Structures are given as C-alpha cells and as structure tokens.
Amino acid sequence: MNGILRKFSACGISLSLLSLAVDAAAAAAKVALIHSNPGLGEVTQNVAALDALVEEALQNGADIVVTPELATTGFSITRADVVDSLGFTSPYPELDGIRDLAIAYQSYVAVGIAEVTPSEAVYNTVVAFGPDGFIETQQKRGLSGWHDAGNVPFDVITTPYGDIGMLICSDSYLPDWMRIIALEGADIVLLPSNWWGRDGQEEIWQTRARENGVWFLAANRWGTEVDERFGSPFTYDMNDAPSAAISPDGNIKVIYRTEDDSLPPADTILYQTVVVPDARIGNVSNPTYSVSHREPSAYGAIANSYYRRDLGYEPAPGLPTPGPVRVAAMAYKPALSPAHNLTTINQLWSTRSQDADVLVLPGLGASVVPVNASSSGWSSAFPWSALQTFVEQNALSLLVTTVIEYEQGETLHESLLLVRPGVPPSLHAQIHDTPFLENGSGAEPVLLDLPGARVGVLTGQDALFPETGTHLAKAGADLVLITSTSGSLAPKDPLSRIGYHWDVDALRRMWRTRTNEVVHLAASDWTGNGIIVENGGGYISNQEDVGAGGRLKILNLDTSTVRTKFLNSYYPFDLAVLLDD
C-alpha cells in the first residue's frame, strides 16, 4: 500500500516537485569538537589547555570550534566560587588568546565559561568569537543550582557557512530553545555540554536536529570530578559523556566517548565537515516540513502560566482525579480492504492478556477509503458501526486512528477518528498543511478528559511538530496518543527528503523524546511499528515496543506520576517567536 503517496497522486501533485534543492552546491565548514577534561577550579590551567587545543584545531583547518560547557572551571562549582575567583566578566580578557586565534585564522570559536557581571549576577555562559573578535554570548536557561537563569534572547550568528545558533547542554532537553534558534534561521547549532551518563542524550539531539532541519554539534568532556558541594564528597565519572556531530536528517556522523576508546584517556578533537545548501545561506527559509508548515494558532497553551518552575509548578486546572489507565497499542500494516483490517484488529485483540481502556491503532488503521464527511451517513464503505460495536463490546473508553477525509469540492486531508462508547464517532482534521496543499485546520490539538487521565491525541504528522507536544503538556495532558502515517514505507521515499516522513528508528526516538515533557505516550504507525512509554515523573520508567516485540501491547499507566511537570518558563520575546506574535 502506498498510502500517503496515493493521497498526493489523488490530489494531482507531482512527487517530482518534492525533489527540492537540498543537493545544490553548498558552503562547507570543518567543525572541531574539543573533548577535554577541565580541572575543577583550575582556571589558569584550563585556559592554557584550551588555547592549545583551539590552536591545534585551527591549524588542522577548522572553521568552527566548540569547547565543552564550563570548559574554564569544571562542573562542581558554587555561586561563591564564581563571584570570588572563577567567573569571567565581559569583555572576558582571560579569553584574549582564543579571541586572537579566531581573528588570525578567520574562524569561529564557542567557549563555555562561568560568568559574573559587575552586579554579581552569575551565569552559565558560552562566548562566541569570530574573524573580527568578540561576537556575542548565550546563557543557559535551565538552572543548575549555582547560577541565574539566562535572560538573553536566542539569536544566530551569520557566517559564510550558514547561520549559527548556540545552546548549552540540557537546554536541549526540551524542544523550545532549539526551536526558537531554528525559527531565527539557524542552520548549525553548537552545544557546549557537560552531560555524562548513558541516558539517551544523543537520541534527544538526533530528534532536535531532525525536527528542526539543522546540523547539531555537541562538545562534551571526559575525566572524573569530586563534588563536595553537598556535604559528603561524591565522584562523578564523566568518561561516558558523548561528543557528537549530527546531520539535519538526525543521523549521527561522528560520536566519541572516552570510555569507548582503547587508547589511554586524553584530550581529543573530533572533526566533522558540515555542509549547508547555498539556498539557505543568509536565508531564514527552512524547507524542513516541521518548520516550514508550522501553525502557531494551534499552540496557544504554550503561553499559559502552568508548570512553570518560577511559579511553583502550578498545574492546569480541572484535571480528572489521577489513577491507573490501561493503554493498548496495536501494530500492523493497514490493508486496502476495510474487512481485512477489521479481521486483523479482532485477531490481535483476541491475544490480549488483559483488557484496556484506550486503544491506539495505526494511521488509516480501519480503512484507506476516503470518507466524505459532508454526506449523509458518511461512506458506506467505511466500517463505522463495526468500530463502534468493537469499542462498546470491549468496554473501551477510546479508540483512535485516522482516515482520509474530503468534502465536496475540497482536497483530501487526513483526520483523526475518535470512537467512544455511546456517542457518534468524531473527525478532527490534521492541524498542519501537507506539502504544497493548504489543507490543515490550524486548530489546537484534541484534548479530552477520561476517567483517571487527561488525554491528547495527534496524527503522526502533527506529532512531528514539537510545539503540539508542549501545548498538550501545558494544557495538562497525562497521556499523548499518536496514530501515525509518518513512517517511510520505501527506502527512497521522496517525502522523507523534507521530513514529512521519517524512518522507523527516527520515529521511535521522537516518540520517546516527546515524553521529556512528563507525559505517558502510546503510538502506532502504519509501518507496523509502535510504542508505549511510561514516564516515571521526568524519566522513562518503562517501555513496550510494539511490532517487532509483539503486535499488541498493553501497559497500566499511573497518571499520578506525571502530574508534576518540569517545563520551561518563557520571556515575552520567547513567546513572540514561538507563537509568531
């Protein structure tokens, strides 16, 4: 079945139009990622080591150089340390050597420091130098206990190699700051980091790169460090911290961890050639589907005041009493025949080990036959009554899939289909336009309250836009359901080139990353793959893969674990970018 390809063909769209100029001649930059071991509190030695490493990188032809986060101080510092001796103050004379190297080699260098201002405000900062010297700083927004929250708007640096944006370490954990940088026109994002532990950070980075269509370059650290800030000394082993270069399609081009190296631990420089198409140089336009087809009108909850750290994580109002919810995801490749799909659904359901409250089918999981919603009784070819009967006989609170919907004289579009007991099925058009068609609804994501849970529902394409997940989390969603036709069905799927379709591994990474906003998640894609992810309160506590690991999975999810959400606080200038205000 060709699914989405059939939809575009039916609309008279030539798929050759999707062969965008992504292969055009482009500017190439050699990027150096410095993977070093800053000594705790040893500022003079650390700066000397950085001077030597930066010079080595530039001598080897680097155009852009990135150091780790806090490369001048080490990690386990205090506010008093920064104010008294470790902090650098603008114009950062301690970094004059690096500034002069950037000028001499006509290059760009990003250095992670601890900053103290004349008024003794303290920031976790990255300083950028270029061919003419100092350019700008960026400050970490997320708090680490010793510094103030950054208050500098995210910006980009225009270079011959593309526009560069900068984030610091865990500011990439949630999607907002990376998204703002992409919307400001970034082609390349630099991430000084101090992020050790094998806890999936590169998976997050891969998703951030792909959903924004940017190069993502993280420079991390190695070594051990003793933290004495909290009474009993504790030793951090940072040798599993990854430095990585990730391409705009989310593929890791190079990754390095000291503990994986057979050679003795030592400072290391990784190199990666980064190519940005000429069409994007100096141009804010980004052809990535999940950037170019945004619908800010659908993301309004981002601006509310709920779940903000500075306001005590106040929750969204009116939430159902939390409790257990049995969530099922079913994985199969939908057939052209509705009867065949119904047989598959019933056969898989008969293998269940327990009942469920909610069931997620793949996109077009009941039928690929277009539905005319404006006609009386809709289409007789679509198995409405059979799905309704299935829901009511099995005491389901909700079944979700998608259908291809049209109205007389209008184009086809994909819509969510929600089937609930005792009420007629409901259709909700996809939020975002499909490529070259203006047929998205622009409406906010579907949100409904069930016993024990507030539930958000998205089509697979709408889930590619990280703002939809943030909107649902800010609106109080405990559980996000994704019924998807976003998976690539063919190795050279032309819709993959602009990010409308993702390969299955990328989808799984994206689904898991969406739970960073402290929600449970269940998804099923028409490639026959799905997932159920249980969030334990800010981390993944359990996961069931659906497809290769079994075609029906059911998890009991406790919504009380996701009622406290750790989301970003925004300045007005952040919201102006995110909501296109």
Side-chain angles (χ1 to χ4, degrees):
M1 181 188 66
N2 289 325
I4 290 290
L5 302 186
R6 290 176 180 272
K7 285 192 274 182
F8 281 97
S9 178
C11 293
I13 296 173
S14 170
L15 291 176
S16 64
L17 293 176
L18 299 176
S19 297
L20 300 178
V22 295
D23 297 322
K30 187 175 184 178
V31 180
L33 305 177
I34 292 178
H35 194 89
S36 62
N37 179 19
L40 180 59
E42 299 175 358
V43 171
T44 301
Q45 297 93 318
N46 291 335
V47 171
L50 288 173
D51 285 346
L53 288 164
V54 170
E55 184 169 19
E56 178 185 342
L58 296 175
Q59 287 176 342
N60 285 328
D63 303 294
I64 301 169
V65 182
V66 193
T67 79
E69 174 188 19
L70 299 174
T72 59
T73 63
F75 178 76
S76 305
I77 58 179
T78 67
R79 187 182 193 92
D81 292 336
V82 176
V83 172
D84 293 342
S85 61
L86 302 185
F88 294 176
T89 301
S90 179
Y92 319 107
E94 300 89 345
L95 301 178
D96 282 354
I98 292 175
R99 178 203 62 196
D100 292 345
L101 286 167
I103 295 171
Y105 285 88
Q106 293 293 283
S107 61
Y108 299 84
V109 185
V111 186
I113 70 165
E115 179 179 11
V116 58
T117 70
S119 63
E120 296 191 355
V122 171
Y123 298 105
N124 186 337
T125 296
V126 56
V127 182
F129 298 102
D132 297 320
F134 172 77
I135 301 175
E136 67 178 33
T137 62
Q138 188 51 256
Q139 301 163 343
K140 192 173 186 178
R141 295 291 187 88
L143 297 177
S144 306
W146 60 268
H147 64 86
D148 300 308
N151 55 21
V152 176
F154 291 103
D155 198 2
V156 295
I157 301 167
T158 299
T159 81
Y161 314 109
D163 286 353
I164 295 175
M166 300 185 296
L167 287 178
I168 300 175
C169 197
S170 58
D171 274 356
S172 62
Y173 184 79
L174 294 174
D176 306 301
W177 311 141
M178 180 84 163
R179 189 56 143 188
I180 290 173
I181 289 174
L183 293 173
E184 293 289 1
D187 307 297
I188 301 166
V189 175
L190 310 181
L191 189 83
S193 297
N194 218 314
W195 192 342
W196 66 94
R198 292 180 182 261
D199 59 355
Q201 55 268 63
E202 62 265 39
E203 182 172 272
I204 296 170
W205 298 341
Q206 287 178 272
T207 298
R208 298 287 171 254
R210 186 169 179 86
E211 69 195 7
N212 291 293
V214 298
W215 280 94
F216 191 94
L217 300 134
N220 225 317
R221 64 160 297 165
W222 66 278
T224 60
E225 190 173 285
V226 179
D227 190 345
E228 298 181 337
R229 294 176 295 179
F230 307 107
S232 300
F234 185 85
T235 300
Y236 300 123
D237 184 348
M238 302 165 168
N239 289 308
D240 58 3
S243 290
I246 301 169
S247 61
D249 58 5
N251 289 321
I252 295 175
K253 295 299 185 181
V254 61
I255 189 167
Y256 178 82
R257 290 181 170 89
T258 299
E259 71 175 14
D260 294 339
D261 196 332
S262 59
L263 297 175
D267 290 345
T268 302
I269 304 176
L270 285 70
Y271 296 94
Q272 174 64 42
T273 298
V274 167
V275 179
V276 174
D278 275 348
R280 284 183 60 166
I281 301 297
N283 187 348
V284 176
S285 177
N286 184 331
T288 305
Y289 170 67
S290 50
V291 178
S292 61
H293 287 71
R294 294 174 72 250
E295 289 284 357
S297 62
Y299 318 139
I302 291 176
N304 71 36
S305 61
Y306 305 126
Y307 306 106
R308 288 176 47 159
R309 178 174 181 165
D310 56 331
L311 298 177
Y313 303 113
E314 179 187 355
L319 294 171
T321 301
V325 179
R326 299 167 299 176
V327 179
M330 193 176 284
Y332 57 92
K333 295 180 180 180
L336 290 172
S337 165
H340 186 281
N341 292 327
L342 285 172
T343 298
T344 298
I345 293 167
N346 281 287
Q347 287 177 343
L348 291 175
W349 192 249
S350 69
T351 68
R352 69 193 185 281
S353 58
Q354 61 173 312
D355 287 329
D357 303 303
V358 174
L359 173 60
V360 184
L361 303 181
L364 308 182
S367 177
V368 300
V369 177
V371 173
N372 185 349
S374 63
S375 65
S376 177
W378 292 332
S379 170
S380 61
F382 194 89
W384 303 106
S385 60
L387 286 177
Q388 191 79 40
T389 299
F390 178 87
V391 165
E392 293 177 353
Q393 287 182 346
N394 292 289
L396 288 167
S397 297
L398 177 66
L399 176 150
V400 301
T401 184
T402 66
V403 300
I404 300 173
E405 183 187 1
Y406 71 96
E407 296 184 14
Q408 198 66 36
E410 296 192 9
T411 58
L412 303 178
H413 57 264
E414 193 169 5
S415 293
L416 287 169
L417 169 64
L418 277 57
V419 185
R420 302 180 65 186
V423 296
S426 60
L427 290 171
H428 306 267
Q430 182 171 298
I431 298 166
H432 300 92
D433 293 348
T434 51
F436 307 111
L437 288 177
E438 296 182 0
N439 57 358
S441 70
E444 293 187 351
V446 172
L447 193 69
L448 63 157
D449 288 347
L450 300 179
R454 179 163 291 177
V455 180
V457 190
L458 297 168
T459 69
Q461 271 70 33
D462 289 334
L464 300 179
F465 295 77
E467 295 92 339
T468 59
T470 305
H471 171 98
L472 288 172
K474 292 274 284 181
D478 303 303
L479 170 64
V480 175
L481 307 177
I482 301 173
T483 170
S484 174
T485 58
S486 296
S488 297
L489 293 172
K492 295 185 178 180
D493 179 352
L495 290 168
S496 293
R497 292 168 63 86
I498 56 169
Y500 188 79
H501 285 166
W502 290 26
D503 65 85
V504 170
D505 289 341
L507 277 183
R508 287 184 180 278
R509 290 192 294 267
M510 182 270 287
W511 292 334
R512 286 190 289 264
T513 299
R514 291 291 182 261
T515 67
N516 289 1
E517 291 170 303
V518 196
V519 294
H520 302 305
L521 182 143
S524 181
D525 183 69
W526 67 345
T527 55
N529 294 275
I531 202 168
I532 305 176
V533 182
E534 180 178 11
N535 193 294
Y539 64 95
I540 293 176
S541 57
N542 193 14
Q543 173 184 311
E544 289 282 2
D545 290 321
V546 191
R551 298 172 67 193
L552 174 67
K553 295 289 185 179
I554 301 174
L555 271 184
N556 292 317
L557 302 177
D558 181 0
T559 59
S560 67
T561 66
V562 294
R563 285 294 166 91
T564 300
K565 303 184 191 299
F566 310 100
L567 305 180
N568 285 326
S569 299
Y570 307 100
Y571 295 109
F573 49 74
D574 297 324
L575 293 174
V577 179
L578 287 170
L579 300 180
D580 197 23
D581 186 2

